[in-house]
Amino acid sequence: MSMLDQATAGAPRTGTDGSGPSDDGVVGVTIVWADNNGIPRSRTVPVDQFGAVSERGVGVTPLFAVFDSHDAITFDHAPLGTPSGDIRLVPVSDRMVRLAGQPGFAWVPGRQVAADGSAWPYDQRGALERQVRRAADLGLDFLAGYEIEFHLSRADGDDDPRPVFDGPSYGPAKMLAVDAFAARLLRDLDRNGVPIGQFQGEYGPGQFEFDIAPADPVTAADRQLLARQTVHAAARAHGLRASFAPLVTLGQVGNGWHLHTSLSRSGTNLLSGGDGPEGMTAEGGAYLAGLLRDLPAIVAVTAPSLSSLQRLRPGYWSGAYTFWGVQNREAALRLVPATPLLGAAHANVELKPSDASANPYLALAAVIAAGLAGVEDGLTPPGPVQEDPGTWTDEQRAERGIHRLPTSVEEQLGALLTNERIRSALGEELTDAFRAVRASDAAWAAGRDAADVVRSFRWLY
């Protein structure tokens, strides 16, 4: 049995002599990771080479850590200041999936390691794995899930995207407009092992959404990357083009990838069943308070692009202010409480300022690190806000300790670089590479108008 067979329990097989692909037609395995812009990058290897690649990886340049959103390489991070060097991309073989929408290929997430096989400080997946281990050491487990919004347009409308439907939101007519695409997408997500809870036509023109069922954080991040690939393949098959960009067209609503998390101890969800605020336990409330305390630095990681900054506007349900609320869709942190109908396990916290330009592993690492620090410090959250602070005066917001989240790259980086908790979670090397990439993006955008910046991010994700 080949390494590929062992990893996927009957997935693509080479011939018995190892000379070529099996009769199922799979010829290559695509190894995927996400860079510091949230952009998936990959290497594809012939299926008969996968066994060797599982052992030694494939070579990639370390400079992927300092690629900016438009593929410029910045040398502003000193440890990666030359074009020299090499690292290895190693597939996480037990996460192998045969792609339902691309029958010639299998898909697998990758881990970046140093040339000698040791840990590579810029490996984003490793940053998340460290936080998951830290939580386990404290006796805590996490679940994470995504609501994924995206825009569908006709494939021939690159310069001026033509949404597939521009009419009443949320209705069956909007779904009917993409009937064949929707059927294929649901089948392909299922076959690719991405369980979802629902799929709907969303608020904006041509906008749709599905939610990925909760899983452990590393699995959730892997599924987020796989879901993108699945959507793009299904769209292509039906003459459509998908955009996950935070903002597709200036002035329209944007695409969020709302991140839902919950934490438990000994199988009990700590966001319900307690006598704290809104039924949270003391540790659940401390988790929420930790997120609130570090929210500006978290959002510098979870919504880091110039397109993100254009999306995060008051009144658009994107979470532009630093407050939490119970089922308040304007809140950056929305508590979804347990109910008698849904049960105690359903309680979770939704982070609304989160989008596709975030590396999913770094986003979850930042969220978990902030929440764990809140638990360790025994924080107590302030009371929830059930109104829209965007309608208040500056004085009213100041009285409640509510502030606008950073509105520029400089403000975001200031929040991140002065936050020792989030910097420590990412690691100093990765944090500074991330800083250099964001600064490179800002330099690229200097002098360009807002519409041009939106266009430049439209098809990156």
Side-chain angles (χ1 to χ4, degrees):
M1 180 177 286
S2 70
M3 285 290 295
L4 194 57
D5 290 333
Q6 294 172 28
T8 62
R13 298 185 300 276
T14 60
T16 56
D17 60 357
S19 62
S22 66
D23 291 340
D24 59 18
V26 174
V27 296
V29 182
T30 299
I31 311 167
V32 179
W33 79 102
D35 70 7
N36 286 327
N37 312 290
I39 297 173
R41 309 286 185 175
S42 68
R43 288 286 190 271
T44 297
V45 299
V47 71
D48 61 355
Q49 296 297 311
F50 185 74
V53 168
S54 294
E55 297 295 329
R56 66 171 186 262
V58 293
V60 297
T61 172
L63 296 180
F64 275 115
V66 287
F67 269 52
D68 71 13
S69 295
H70 298 87
D71 287 351
I73 299 171
T74 174
F75 290 101
D76 188 31
H77 171 63
L80 298 177
T82 76
S84 301
D86 196 49
I87 61 171
R88 308 300 291 179
L89 178 67
V90 179
V92 184
S93 298
D94 62 356
R95 297 293 171 94
M96 178 81 66
V97 172
R98 281 193 285 188
L99 290 171
Q102 297 172 256
F105 296 92
W107 179 100
V108 65
R111 177 181 286 111
Q112 300 162 80
V113 302
D116 63 1
S118 60
W120 172 246
Y122 303 93
D123 178 45
Q124 297 90 350
R125 185 188 180 92
L128 175 55
E129 290 171 336
R130 289 194 299 272
Q131 292 309 305
V132 171
R133 289 194 296 270
R134 180 182 164 214
D137 290 343
L138 295 172
L140 296 170
D141 295 300
F142 282 85
L143 289 176
Y146 279 92
E147 292 179 45
I148 293 183
E149 294 175 336
F150 62 98
H151 178 278
L152 275 180
S153 64
R154 307 296 177 187
D156 59 355
D158 289 4
D159 294 330
D160 184 19
R162 294 185 296 121
V164 293
F165 186 82
D166 188 2
S169 302
Y170 303 110
K174 191 167 190 175
M175 292 298 295
L176 184 62
V178 295
D179 185 64
F181 161 81
R184 179 174 189 134
L185 179 60
L186 293 178
R187 282 195 301 269
D188 288 355
L189 287 168
D190 179 61
R191 292 170 180 171
N192 286 348
V194 181
I196 71 168
Q198 58 85 31
F199 179 45
Q200 67 182 27
E202 250 291 340
Y203 185 79
Q207 189 181 43
F208 296 84
E209 177 192 275
F210 61 90
D211 61 72
I212 302 176
D216 70 88
V218 178
T219 298
D222 287 345
R223 285 175 174 171
Q224 191 242 54
L225 288 179
L226 179 55
R228 299 190 201 201
Q229 187 85 4
T230 307
V231 171
H232 282 306
R236 183 191 63 179
H238 292 278
L240 303 173
R241 195 171 189 187
S243 173
F244 299 110
L247 204 61
V248 175
T249 302
L250 197 65
Q252 293 285 356
V253 298
N255 293 317
W257 284 29
H258 305 157
L259 176 55
H260 293 254
T261 57
S262 65
L263 76 165
S264 62
R265 185 182 294 280
S266 301
T268 299
N269 189 336
L270 298 176
L271 295 173
S272 63
D275 55 7
E278 305 302 323
M280 292 183 287
T281 67
E283 287 186 308
Y287 173 70
L288 176 61
L291 299 183
L292 186 61
R293 175 176 64 179
D294 289 335
L295 190 60
I298 292 171
V299 174
V301 178
T302 63
S305 69
L306 295 163
S307 187
S308 304
L309 291 170
Q310 292 172 316
R311 170 183 168 260
L312 297 180
R313 298 160 289 171
Y316 281 79
W317 292 8
S318 59
Y321 289 98
T322 58
F323 74 100
W324 75 280
V326 182
Q327 296 288 28
N328 185 343
R329 286 174 169 79
E330 190 64 31
L333 294 169
R334 171 187 171 226
L335 178 67
V336 182
T339 68
L341 178 62
L342 298 175
H346 183 77
N348 66 85
V349 177
E350 177 191 34
L351 174 69
K352 295 189 85 66
S354 171
D355 61 53
S357 68
N359 179 292
Y361 304 98
L362 294 186
L364 276 162
V367 166
I368 292 172
L372 289 179
V375 172
E376 290 176 314
D377 293 343
L379 300 184
T380 301
V385 174
Q386 299 305 106
E387 302 172 57
D388 177 3
T391 65
W392 299 354
T393 65
D394 291 342
E395 291 75 17
Q396 288 174 312
R397 286 191 290 268
E399 288 174 3
R400 297 289 296 269
I402 295 173
H403 308 283
R404 181 79 185 269
L405 282 167
T407 59
S408 69
V409 172
E410 292 75 18
E411 289 178 0
Q412 281 198 325
L413 289 178
L416 174 61
L417 298 179
T418 58
N419 189 300
E420 294 185 4
R421 289 176 291 273
I422 306 303
R423 283 174 51 189
S424 176
L426 304 188
E428 290 299 327
E429 296 98 331
L430 203 161
T431 298
D432 195 57
F434 188 89
R435 172 207 59 79
V437 167
R438 301 280 71 76
S440 182
D441 273 1
W444 174 90
R448 288 178 162 87
D449 64 32
D452 188 26
V453 172
V454 167
R455 283 192 297 270
S456 75
F457 282 84
R458 184 175 288 150
W459 306 117
L460 297 186
Y461 312 105

